[in-house]
Amino acid sequence: MATTTNKYMSHPQATVGISRASTTSAWAFSAYTEVVAASAITSTFYIAGLTWAWHTPLAVVDTTYQWIIELATGAASSEVLIIQVPANVRNDTAVGFVPSNFVTFPEPKEVAANTRISVRVAYSGTASNTLTGIKILYQIA
């Protein structure tokens, strides 16, 4: 059996992740927020998934929350979309708990070394909704 030293990592590392608030217009995208600085990952890498910890305000019982989360490459104000993730959460208890969310991609997205990655969100509702703890899961080539 072959072995490898390859492993999945998350970015940002050893922090709580990125927060990104939606706009107050349904399905209108927010501005981009940097997740990976241009010089942070110095080898070609593959984005294999996306995670976020919770959203605020906390979920209301029997309410569906829907988002589109986009990852893009490029300098600020010149971002180019590379991954789009539809997501939803439905809370069925009155405790207001929202679990961590994790999406794996059917095929990892190759990204060149030293590439800046940013995230933006659109939300189905008309009140601002903030996703927190946003991180990418990646593997070095």
Side-chain angles (χ1 to χ4, degrees), residues 8-59:
Y8 286 111
M9 295 173 280
S10 66
H11 197 89
Q13 298 173 338
T15 68
V16 296
I18 304 303
S19 293
R20 181 66 260 169
S22 69
T23 66
T24 56
S25 298
W27 297 119
F29 279 100
S30 66
Y32 280 103
T33 299
E34 183 176 281
V35 177
V36 178
S39 60
I41 303 175
T42 57
S43 299
T44 298
F45 63 102
Y46 296 87
I47 300 176
L50 178 73
T51 187
W52 64 98
W54 58 84
H55 64 90
T56 54
L58 291 178

Side-chain angles (χ1 to χ4, degrees), residues 58-65 89-99:
L58 291 178
V60 175
V61 68
D62 293 329
T63 301
T64 300
Y65 296 83
V89 169
R90 183 168 180 88
N91 199 27
D92 267 343
T93 72
V95 297
F97 174 72
V98 179

